[in-house]
Amino acid sequence: MKTILNRVQNFKSFVYESVYWVENAPEPTIEALLRPRANGQAICSCCMRRRPGYDTLALRRFEFIPLWGIKVFLRYAPRRVNCRTCGIRVERMPWATGKHQLTQAYAWFLSEWARRLSWKEVAQAFRTTWDHVFRSVEMAVAWGLENRDLSGIEAIGVDEIAWKRGHKYLTLVYQIDAGCRRLLWIGQDRKTKTLLRFFWWFGRDRSVQLRLICSDMWKPYLKVIAKKAGHAIHVLDRFHIMSGLSKAIDEVRAQEARTLKSEGYEPVLTNRRWLLLKRAENLTDNQETKLAELLRYNLKSVRSYLLKEEFQFFWSYISPYWAGKFLDKWCTKAMRSQIEPMKKVARQLRRHRPLLLNWFKAKGQYSSGIVEGFNNKAILTTRKSYGFRTYHAAEIALYHALGALPVPKTAHRFF
Ligand SMILES: [Zn+2]
């Protein structure tokens, strides 16, 4: 065991004194006792300088990666140093950080598994606690954020997701450059202030380098982007515009359902469909009358649906000029439809005509599927029962899943 440990986890100024089986432990346990090398001087954990010793604390246990399903602990009595600059401090132990009970190796091991399984599953698989898994991921995210490279960012996408059963929102900013796609930043809420905080963090120098930004039509975002990165091409996201149209259709349908109900028809939305699907010659007289009446209302739902389908053509244009012509025609048609939710969308699209046409200027510079893909993944991550209720835990989970954060080379040794 000692030989193996020296191979896989060797610390320069410390030696394994003994490795032994712990008798009467609640579960099979191995401990490896560490001691400082004979002439090794302790290092202050605060300033990282060699300092004279002060005293020695009681033995502490640090959990290491389990072996054959057996728990493994490093055991060590930390020394305290008398540091000129920092005072009396605990020495630096290369296998641990701060007051953590887990060794760094184990924390990286757990956090890497947490990319593939839910936090709960990781805790179960390695017979540890949810809290230990969370702390490990938290450590990995902190390290990754500190060591990531933020140079060369030219394209970003701004998105929001509902959180906590739709009562709250998170603003997510992604890098969407062809060579690097990842979650860059998370902010609570989706206000003007929220996105301003992003630009404040991102910094002026990096903002100047931005060439492309895509977002949905959410007003605070449009405002902040125009103010902070007016030089970049601002594109309205295809995914968000199409889902805006879908929402409008849902609204039309819901309104119709209410109207029909108030006029004495039963669960219309499903029945209506069925009536429409059934062959006309198979309808009873009564059903036929119902269908005729329904069609009058249903026309709105159907027409909305067709309008949305028609709008798909918009994205296939190559010339912004003709796309603009198409957009104007479509909007006129929608405005004449007498369907309020569709008119609302049309008004919105008209108002943002230049931003919509930017899509053609930016064509080829980014794929419209990226933001949608990230959006789906982000929703999945927050929904997955990680057991987190706090914003902090959600933030950690999102960075871990979508941040493409770097990992130190040593972390790969056990994974
Ligand atoms: Zn010090």
Side-chain angles (χ1 to χ4, degrees):
M1 271 296 294
K2 216 194 258 185
T3 314
I4 295 171
L5 275 169
N6 273 317
R7 289 256 177 147
V8 297
Q9 191 65 283
N10 183 302
F11 306 109
K12 228 168 83 194
S13 322
F14 302 85
V15 289
Y16 293 102
E17 189 166 85
S18 57
V19 182
Y20 49 89
W21 182 269
V22 181
E23 298 295 343
N24 305 323
E27 46 187 331
T29 306
I30 292 171
E31 278 182 3
L33 187 65
L34 277 156
R35 64 167 173 78
R37 229 171 255 288
N39 47 11
Q41 205 181 354
I43 293 172
C44 169
S45 59
C46 189
C47 63
M48 301 296 170
R49 292 211 181 85
R50 285 180 194 288
R51 295 298 189 215
Y54 178 75
D55 63 359
T56 303
L57 299 174
L59 278 169
R60 271 177 66 186
R61 290 210 311 180
F62 303 88
E63 193 165 359
F64 194 65
I65 301 159
L67 181 68
W68 301 318
I70 303 165
K71 293 219 165 228
V72 179
F73 289 90
L74 305 184
R75 227 171 141 78
Y76 180 70
R79 294 167 289 174
R80 285 200 299 181
V81 294
N82 190 355
C83 178
R84 259 189 282 139
T85 36
C86 318
I88 309 289
R89 293 278 171 166
V90 179
E91 69 173 315
R92 186 187 93 93
M93 292 166 275
W95 55 84
T97 36
K99 286 198 156 62
H100 281 288
Q101 283 171 276
L102 305 183
T103 57
Q104 278 185 42
Y106 191 35
W108 280 110
F109 177 85
L110 290 176
S111 75
E112 283 302 298
W113 271 106
R115 288 183 196 282
R116 309 180 180 205
L117 306 171
S118 77
W119 296 356
K120 202 177 152 194
E121 285 168 322
V122 175
Q124 282 165 349
F126 298 102
R127 281 183 284 130
T128 183
T129 60
W130 185 93
D131 201 59
H132 276 168
V133 179
F134 170 61
R135 298 280 161 224
S136 302
V137 176
E138 194 183 31
M139 178 281 305
V141 166
W143 193 91
L145 289 178
E146 207 152 286
N147 289 282
R148 66 180 169 170
D149 178 9
L150 291 174
S151 63
I153 299 172
E154 293 187 343
I156 60 169
V158 182
D159 190 19
E160 92 259 339
I161 57 165
W163 180 59
K164 277 200 168 177
R165 296 202 190 116
H167 296 315
K168 292 191 168 178
Y169 286 90
L170 299 178
T171 295
L172 306 176
V173 181
Y174 303 105
Q175 178 180 5
I176 55 170
D177 284 294
C180 185
R181 292 156 183 182
R182 56 180 168 168
L183 172 65
L184 281 181
W185 188 85
I186 309 170
Q188 220 164 345
D189 238 316
R190 51 166 182 173
K191 296 179 186 155
T192 307
K193 258 198 288 184
T194 320
L195 197 58
L196 276 174
R197 270 212 313 275
F198 163 76
F199 280 104
W200 180 77
W201 165 81
F202 197 55
R204 219 200 186 148
D205 294 346
R206 288 197 200 99
S207 301
V208 170
Q209 286 176 34
L210 288 174
R211 281 182 23 212
L212 185 117
I213 301 178
C214 76
S215 76
D216 59 10
M217 289 191 281
W218 182 240
K219 234 185 228 158
Y221 291 167
L222 300 182
K223 206 168 83 186
V224 175
I225 291 169
K227 188 176 160 197
K228 289 289 180 182
H231 62 281
I233 302 180
H234 184 185
V235 183
L236 290 181
D237 206 86
R238 174 180 179 171
F239 156 62
H240 281 110
I241 286 171
M242 292 321 281
S243 57
L245 278 165
S246 296
K247 266 180 214 150
I249 292 175
D250 270 356
E251 218 178 291
V252 175
R253 228 185 252 165
Q255 269 176 18
E256 269 183 339
R258 274 197 298 275
T259 316
L260 290 168
K261 201 181 172 190
S262 72
E263 289 178 13
Y265 298 98
E266 315 129 69
V268 261
L269 270 175
T270 40
N271 280 356
R272 169 205 70 185
R273 264 213 191 118
W274 189 75
L275 278 172
L276 285 167
L277 286 174
K278 200 168 173 185
R279 294 175 72 153
E281 58 263 37
N282 294 337
L283 292 173
T284 61
D285 283 349
N286 190 19
Q287 279 173 330
E288 227 168 87
T289 347
K290 265 189 180 171
L291 176 67
E293 275 174 78
L294 279 172
L295 272 177
R296 220 179 67 220
Y297 297 105
N298 271 318
L299 228 51
K300 274 190 179 177
S301 293
V302 173
R303 268 160 48 218
S304 309
Y305 172 77
L306 292 174
L307 271 169
K308 181 199 163 197
E309 285 305 294
E310 199 182 330
F311 195 82
Q312 292 282 14
F313 282 115
F314 175 75
W315 311 104
S316 61
Y317 277 92
I318 289 168
S319 129
Y321 175 81
W322 291 109
K325 287 264 173 203
F326 174 88
L327 180 66
D328 298 339
K329 266 194 178 167
W330 187 92
C331 287
T332 311
K333 206 169 166 185
M335 291 307 287
R336 285 186 189 148
S337 70
Q338 306 292 334
I339 306 169
E340 201 37 57
M342 296 309 274
K343 282 164 76 176
K344 208 174 128 198
V345 175
R347 276 196 291 269
Q348 239 179 352
L349 294 179
R350 261 185 190 166
R351 204 176 326 131
H352 301 303
R353 190 180 191 272
L355 296 187
L356 270 162
L357 294 181
N358 273 346
W359 198 78
F360 301 93
K361 276 194 214 165
K363 228 174 182 181
Q365 287 186 38
Y366 85 105
S367 132
S368 58
I370 301 173
V371 177
E372 181 173 11
F374 272 132
N375 183 280
N376 291 338
K377 252 183 144 180
I379 289 169
L380 243 165
T381 306
T382 45
R383 266 194 208 151
K384 237 191 224 171
S385 56
Y386 280 127
F388 47 62
R389 265 153 275 129
T390 64
Y391 167 69
H392 177 62
E395 191 184 23
I396 295 291
L398 284 167
Y399 274 128
H400 194 53
L402 305 171
L405 295 173
V407 167
K409 275 191 196 118
T410 49
H412 289 301
R413 200 184 302 159
F414 301 103
F415 196 80

